């Protein structure tokens, strides 16, 4: 219903804001690219080692979940 849509909209807006403020440019790039491609393909497209992409993706997910980044 309308209440659920409003809650979803707020959560979506919060996630977008957090992506802009908490993630590095690389983390944002690999996270968004990862929505359309696997990490190996993302690495090839960005010209980066697959390990760098995997690490950046893991950091981004951890940050967005609110887990410690150490």
């Amino acid at each position: 219903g309308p209440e659920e849509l409003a809650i979803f909209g707020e959560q979506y807006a919060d996630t977008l804001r957090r992506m802009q403020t908490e993630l590095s440019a690389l983390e944002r790039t690999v996270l968004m690219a990862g929505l359309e491609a696997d990490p190996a393909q993302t690495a090839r497209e960005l010209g980066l080692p697959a390990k760098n992409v995997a690490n950046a993706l893991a950091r981004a997910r951890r940050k967005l979940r609110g887990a410690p980044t150490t």
Side-chain angles (χ1 to χ4, degrees):
E3 187 173 315
E4 290 84 12
L5 286 174
I7 291 169
F8 176 78
E10 289 175 14
Q11 290 171 337
Y12 180 76
D14 182 57
T15 299
L16 290 178
R17 179 195 56 76
R18 290 181 60 217
M19 286 176 66
Q20 289 298 318
T21 59
E22 296 178 23
L23 302 183
S24 70
L26 176 61
E27 291 165 348
R28 280 192 307 275
T29 299
V30 299
L31 185 63
M32 297 307 293
L35 296 175
E36 298 178 9
D38 62 63
Q41 183 179 350
T42 300
R44 285 191 302 275
E45 289 174 4
L46 297 176
L48 296 170
K51 186 68 173 173
N52 289 26
V53 170
N55 287 340
L57 188 55
R59 281 191 314 272
R61 289 176 176 160
R62 214 174 22 248
K63 286 177 180 181
L64 292 175
R65 277 191 237 122
T69 56
T70 56

